[in-house]
């Protein structure tokens, strides 16, 4: 008999009652250090007083009006994102996949608006993940996403990860854009070289393509910059964000330049829930904290400490950990055994992490963690590696 919850997720045994900062309190009575952050969503930790206060205050006033009316909180959040990024304009939606969908529609509209409707194809990278809707599984392209959901939405050309010549060679008269994650998340914390990103930017300019970045996981401070592409000092045309944007409130956004968004006029796109007052109170509260002096410096500094210490563990247990990689607080530990076994063992020892492709165990802690959290996590990773080394 099918369970009352559609069984699309694996077996889940643990539930939580409460969260506080970097900690989650399980209904098993145990306290867990949360270095999964609900898959890079809880950027400011659980129950951050500023977020709680903002959401409570808004909840007592007004939840939803629809986009038939002006939403002051949305105007404020949009203005702040424009002021602090490459973007001139923002569309708010409710999830990452929706943010990508908006960007894909924008890319097609851009070229048809400019008299080149034949340009509709998007080049994406192998191993990428862009969401679970029909178009975004086609963009990701991996068989495990598209299997059984055919016919696959047309318009995507996949090229090997990080190979610039392959990408350039895939450009045709029909190419509209290049879509990529500056650091592949689900694919296994695989950062693209800054030089590669700069080359892709240049080739997009040469061929009149839009550069569309998926910063749903790598954005919102995760790498110590508001967006990971800032490390390569490039300016994209379109960026999709979500995950940490609402600190746990479901919200996404598609950011674009004025030029890229040409054609996105009244009636071309919309969302019933997108950017509602409740969601915008969360986003504005997140921005209050992330845009404050010193926030990003802290992420860079603490990310460095975490990375160095985990690398230390990896060098002590080369038979358990093959590699540590990533940027800021978007780190991956490559397991020698299976990553899921390691995630389970870490959980048993009180540390929550997230598995990813390429046998990676992801560390995606709240961006507000302190040295004490790093020390505690590293102690658990060290101990867990010790017992895994003995068992192997
Ligand atoms: C999580 C994620 C998505 C999909 O976001 P949803 O909110 O689950 O739709 C897309 N791209 C990347 C890089 C992600 O990490």
């Amino acid at each position: 008999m099918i369970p009352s919850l559609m069984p699309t997720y694996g077996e889940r045994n643990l539930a939580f009652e409460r969260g506080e900062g970097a900690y989650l309190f399980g209904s098993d009575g145990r306290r867990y250090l949360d270095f999964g952050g609900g898959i890079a969503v809880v950027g400011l930790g659980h129950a951050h007083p500023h977020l709680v206060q903002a959401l409570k205050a808004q909840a007592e006033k007004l939840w939803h009006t629809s986009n038939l009316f002006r939403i002051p909180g949305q105007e404020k959040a949009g203005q702040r994102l424009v002021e602090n990024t490459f973007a001139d304009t923002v569309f708010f939606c409710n999830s990452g996949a929706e943010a990508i969908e908006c960007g894909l529609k924008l890319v097609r509209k851009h070229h048809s608006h400019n008299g080149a409707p034949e340009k509709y194809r998007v080049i994406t990278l192998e191993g990428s993940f862009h969401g679970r809707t029909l178009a975004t599984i086609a963009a990701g392209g991996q068989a495990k996403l598209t299997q059984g959901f055919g016919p696959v939405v047309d318009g995507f050309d996949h090229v090997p990860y990080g190979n610039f010549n392959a990408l350039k060679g895939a450009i045709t008269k029909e190419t509209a854009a290049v879509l990529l994650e500056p650091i592949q998340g689900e694919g296994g914390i695989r950062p693209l070289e800054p030089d590669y990103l700069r080359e892709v930017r240049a080739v997009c300019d040469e061929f009149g393509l839009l550069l569309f970045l998926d910063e749903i996981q790598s954005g919102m401070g995760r790498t110590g910059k508001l967006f990971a592409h800032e490390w390569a000092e490039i300016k994209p045309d379109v960026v999709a964000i979500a995950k940490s944007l609402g600190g746990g409130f479901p919200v996404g956004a598609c950011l674009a330049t004025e030029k890229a968004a040409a054609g996105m006029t009244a009636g071309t796109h919309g969302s019933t829930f997108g950017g509602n007052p409740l969601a915008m109170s969360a986003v504005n509260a997140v921005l209050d904290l992330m845009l404050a002096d010193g926030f990003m410096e802290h992420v860079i500094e603490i990310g460095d400490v975490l990375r160095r210490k985990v690398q230390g563990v990896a060098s002590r247990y080369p038979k358990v950990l093959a590699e540590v990689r990533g940027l800021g607080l978007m780190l991956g530990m490559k397991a020698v055994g299976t990553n899921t076994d390691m995630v389970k063992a870490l959980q048993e020892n009180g540390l929550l992490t997230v598995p990813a492709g390429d046998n990676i165990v992801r560390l995606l802690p709240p961006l507000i963690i302190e040295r004490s959290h790093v020390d505690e996590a590293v102690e658990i990773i060290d101990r867990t590696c010790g017992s895994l080394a003995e068992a192997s």
Side-chain angles (χ1 to χ4, degrees), residues 7 12 41 45 57 69 146 164 175 188 191 203-204 231 287 294 302 313 315-316 324 337 342-343 359:
R12 297 171 285 177
V41 166
F69 304 97
T146 57
F164 177 69
T175 306
V203 87
C204 284
W231 288 107
L287 290 175
I302 202 82
V313 178
S315 60
R316 279 199 292 287
V324 181
M342 180 170 286
V343 167
N359 224 18

Side-chain angles (χ1 to χ4, degrees), residues 299-367:
V299 177
I300 293 170
E301 212 180 286
I302 202 82
D304 239 39
V305 176
L306 177 62
R307 189 205 172 101
R308 274 190 286 108
K309 291 196 171 184
V310 175
Q311 256 158 357
V313 178
S315 60
R316 279 199 292 287
Y317 299 104
K319 289 191 178 124
V320 181
L321 286 180
E323 191 193 344
V324 181
R325 63 195 190 211
L327 210 56
L329 287 173
M330 185 173 182
L331 298 175
M333 311 187 289
K334 191 171 162 79
V336 175
T338 62
N339 57 346
T340 45
D341 283 350
M342 180 170 286
V343 167
K344 220 159 105 193
L346 289 167
Q347 179 179 315
E348 275 160 18
N349 289 329
L351 181 70
L352 303 176
T353 58
V354 190
D358 196 31
N359 224 18
I360 286 286
V361 174
R362 272 180 287 179
L363 303 175
L364 304 163
L367 308 178

Side-chain angles (χ1 to χ4, degrees), residues 39-40 94-98 100 129-133 136 181 183-186 214-218 242-243 251 362:
I39 319 187
N94 313 289
S95 67
E98 274 182 88
I100 298 285
F129 179 80
H130 299 297
R132 296 285 196 159
T133 63
T136 56
E181 299 160 78
I183 303 177
Q184 286 188 349
E186 304 303 309
D214 180 343
E215 293 243 29
I216 291 167
Q217 193 162 149
S218 60
K243 293 217 160 81
V251 58
R362 272 180 287 179

